[in-house]
Amino acid sequence: MPLQASLQSADAIDHVHTGVLPSPFHSRTSALNINQQWSVWNGIASAVYYGDPHLEYFATRNACAVFDVSPMRKYRFRGAQTEAMLDRMVTRDVTVQKVDTVAYNVWCTDAGRVVDDGTLFRLADDEFMVCCADPCLDWFLLAAVGFDEVEITDISDEVAALALQGPTSCALLKALGLSGIEHCKPFQIMRFPWGGGEITVSRTGYTGDLGYELWLDPAMAEPLWDVLFEQGKVFGIQPLGDESLEMARLEAGYIAPDVDFHGALHTVELGHDHSPFELGLGWIVNFKKTHFTGRAALEKEKAAGDHRRLVRLDIEGNKPAENSILYADKQCRREIGYVTSAMWSPVVKANIAYGLVDAKGADGEIWAEVYHQKELRWYRKVARCEKVSKPFWSPERARQTPPPDC
């Protein structure tokens, strides 16, 4: 049968005129975006900031804030062999993950290099949802070869999502009528009837604080936003943009794709990709389970111990060490790495950063060559770095069940 195609006029496609798609919440986020500052995430408009990124950031630490995570890629896995297929693909043991829980995961190439990271939602014995920042359908389909009883569907446009983060987030959800939400444990999933449909709530987030992510039908997006912001007035709710979320995630000790690492399928130069061990993710590489993609290479790398290391740094002074080169000595004679993320943390009151350093330099002194500007003039400073083992920000309320209301 000859191929037949019916083409739609470009004038009839709304996003062609701007090159950007709206999220299900766009009518609401656009109305609050005073300066109309947008980035493009998977072809969808995402607010850089709404009015003041610092005000939005402080809401995640002192009240609550909402971030539109609808542009995240979401994939449904169904079928009798789904558990086995995913267990072969990711580094953690999927067979021990309980229904209605979420687990952070990475998936690697045969060479043990990270393709992407994301969250694995177990919705039933034979049904999962994988959420990740970048499109991964091609890789998932390749990983499913040989598993005939697995159905993989891109449901990114079928699920709207909001991250509600901050110390008053649980109190706000209770005010919305989500009875029992206070009993939801970290990385647990609960479901609630709402607005004639259902909202799935996971106690997850990217801020390191108390928080939840809400997953729903896009048709319910605008009504949910309206109720959240009406009820949320007393709870100090604010919309959250990319810049303020970036601040919160660095304090929480989370890594960001295309900032702290590149996925193996997106690098050109040899050695510009990363392994889980280099990214400090050895804790989710499980060699006790059955074979998984990249296992042999990762076992060899762990045994050698000569891989680079992404380390958390507390840097002296208050000038963020953005794009700084790292050295083993104050005289900057031996280069050992570079800074991937950096900021002055308002809550921690420290100059924090992530640095990727060579194996030989990871256990010794680390110095950052920091350049900063004052009244259009550039200054150079060599600052001592102290390695930090734990996240910079990890309040007790993020782990408490039930959590406090404020």
Side-chain angles (χ1 to χ4, degrees):
M1 182 178 179
L3 179 65
Q4 296 180 348
S6 177
L7 300 180
Q8 188 176 7
S9 169
D11 292 336
I13 305 175
D14 290 339
H15 78 275
V16 166
H17 305 293
T18 62
V20 180
L21 288 164
S23 89
F25 298 98
H26 186 73
S27 64
R28 302 307 191 258
T29 56
S30 180
L32 293 176
N33 194 334
I34 298 172
N35 298 307
Q36 291 297 299
Q37 296 294 311
W38 303 95
S39 63
V40 179
W41 180 11
N42 290 326
I44 298 173
S46 180
V48 176
Y49 59 88
Y50 288 86
D52 184 334
H54 287 87
L55 177 65
E56 299 160 24
Y57 155 82
F58 276 111
T60 69
R61 302 307 188 215
N62 298 304
C64 63
V66 171
F67 184 81
D68 182 3
V69 289
S70 300
M72 182 174 287
R73 299 297 86 186
K74 302 170 280 285
Y75 302 94
R76 182 175 60 217
F77 294 71
R78 279 179 176 169
Q81 293 182 300
T82 299
E83 180 187 271
M85 176 256 152
L86 288 170
D87 195 52
R88 167 69 182 263
M89 185 183 77
V90 303
T91 60
R92 296 186 83 169
D93 189 349
V94 178
T95 65
V96 301
Q97 184 175 344
K98 297 180 180 179
V99 173
D100 286 338
T101 63
V102 186
Y104 176 62
N105 266 288
V106 293
W107 41 100
C108 301
T109 65
D110 285 335
R113 316 309 283 176
V114 173
V115 174
D116 204 352
D117 67 341
T119 45
L120 180 62
F121 291 65
R122 187 159 200 167
L123 305 176
D125 286 339
D126 60 352
E127 182 177 355
F128 294 78
M129 180 174 71
V130 174
C131 297
C132 45
D134 296 322
C136 278
L137 181 59
D138 288 351
W139 186 262
F140 295 156
L141 293 173
L142 180 63
V145 170
F147 296 92
D148 297 332
E149 297 181 63
V150 177
E151 177 187 337
I152 305 174
T153 308
D154 185 343
I155 58 171
S156 302
D157 295 335
E158 299 174 21
V159 180
L162 281 180
L164 176 64
Q165 304 286 299
T168 63
S169 56
C170 183
L172 173 53
L173 291 179
K174 287 192 292 185
L176 258 62
L178 274 59
S179 178
I181 187 62
E182 66 274 16
H183 302 300
C184 187
K185 299 177 181 178
F187 298 101
Q188 185 181 355
I189 299 168
M190 298 181 73
R191 296 172 182 83
F192 300 90
W194 194 88
E198 183 180 77
I199 295 178
T200 298
V201 181
S202 58
R203 189 168 167 182
T204 49
Y206 200 46
T207 66
D209 215 308
L210 174 64
Y212 304 82
E213 290 177 314
L214 286 60
W215 313 85
L216 59 147
D217 188 315
M220 300 164 58
E222 292 177 352
L224 175 64
W225 181 281
D226 293 341
V227 171
L228 273 174
F229 274 79
E230 179 60 34
Q231 293 279 349
K233 291 177 181 178
V234 70
F235 299 100
I237 194 169
Q238 291 285 335
L240 189 65
D242 297 341
E243 287 191 5
S244 40
L245 182 64
E246 172 68 9
M247 296 169 67
R249 73 90 191 165
L250 178 53
E251 289 179 336
Y254 297 146
I255 58 175
D258 302 321
V259 179
D260 299 306
F261 74 98
H262 280 302
L265 305 185
H266 300 291
T267 57
V268 176
E269 298 293 332
L270 185 66
H272 285 195
D273 53 9
H274 306 270
S275 77
F277 293 120
E278 290 178 343
L279 298 177
L281 300 178
W283 61 278
I284 58 171
V285 178
N286 189 338
F287 290 127
K288 295 181 180 180
K289 73 171 199 171
T290 57
H291 179 71
F292 59 91
T293 304
R295 178 180 184 133
L298 290 172
E299 285 180 324
K300 183 178 179 180
E301 179 181 315
K302 183 179 181 181
D306 58 357
H307 51 273
R308 298 169 298 180
R309 290 167 173 81
L310 189 68
V311 294
R312 301 184 186 97
L313 300 173
D314 184 346
I315 303 175
E316 67 178 355
N318 61 1
K319 305 300 181 185
E322 296 173 346
N323 305 312
S324 293
I325 301 298
L326 299 174
Y327 296 89
D329 57 293
K330 189 174 183 179
Q331 293 72 33
C332 300
R333 290 175 298 208
R334 184 162 73 89
E335 183 179 327
I336 59 172
Y338 60 92
V339 168
T340 62
S341 299
M343 64 175 285
W344 170 260
S345 168
V347 167
V348 182
K349 299 294 188 295
N351 195 14
I352 66 175
Y354 260 134
L356 189 68
V357 299
D358 298 336
K360 293 181 179 179
D363 296 326
E365 291 186 0
I366 300 178
W367 297 80
E369 186 178 27
V370 181
Y371 287 85
H372 60 94
Q373 194 179 49
K374 182 178 181 181
E375 295 180 342
L376 303 181
R377 296 191 180 188
W378 284 97
Y379 296 84
R380 175 181 179 270
K381 177 182 179 180
V382 180
R384 181 187 292 273
C385 305
E386 179 183 347
K387 293 186 289 293
V388 178
S389 60
K390 296 181 179 180
F392 301 106
W393 177 254
S394 182
E396 184 65 26
R397 60 177 175 252
R399 298 176 293 277
Q400 290 176 322
T401 305
D405 285 340
C406 61

